[in-house]
Amino acid sequence: GWLKYGGFNLTREHILTNMGMYEMNYPAYCSGIVAAMPNGTVVHGRNMDYSLKIHMKGKIVGWPELTVDVTFLRGGQPLMTS
């Protein structure tokens, strides 16, 4: 979505490098966890405790403008929220 609609000029290599650095906590990115509940449900969480200010289409935006909650449906019924 960011590449198609955000007007960014990024290569695949840039995205993969950035993802790798993020997972290595470089230099100090957000914490994340993946865990399994006793019933087998897998949950994932990540805090977004660092400031994000980027220029997008003439505006400065941050996490509030880029973060959404999405409810996935199956057969018209809520399956999961991400």
Side-chain angles (χ1 to χ4, degrees):
W2 281 36
L3 289 178
K4 185 173 182 180
Y5 300 107
F8 294 100
N9 186 19
L10 301 174
T11 64
R12 180 178 185 272
E13 288 74 24
H14 182 264
I15 294 170
L16 292 174
T17 299
N18 191 37
M19 290 171 55
M21 288 178 10
Y22 188 95
E23 295 303 326
M24 294 184 314
N25 200 29
Y26 179 85
Y29 297 147
C30 301
S31 301
I33 187 168
V34 176
M37 297 170 48
N39 69 359
T41 300
V42 176
V43 294
H44 170 262
R46 182 180 306 275
N47 69 348
M48 292 188 274
D49 58 353
Y50 67 92
S51 177
L52 175 72
K53 293 183 180 173
I54 60 173
H55 295 269
M56 181 184 289
K57 297 186 177 181
K59 295 181 181 180
I60 297 176
V61 297
W63 287 124
E65 294 83 14
L66 299 173
T67 306
V68 298
D69 289 325
V70 178
T71 301
F72 293 88
L73 305 176
R74 179 180 284 165
Q77 299 297 315
L79 175 65
M80 67 177 193
T81 300
S82 175

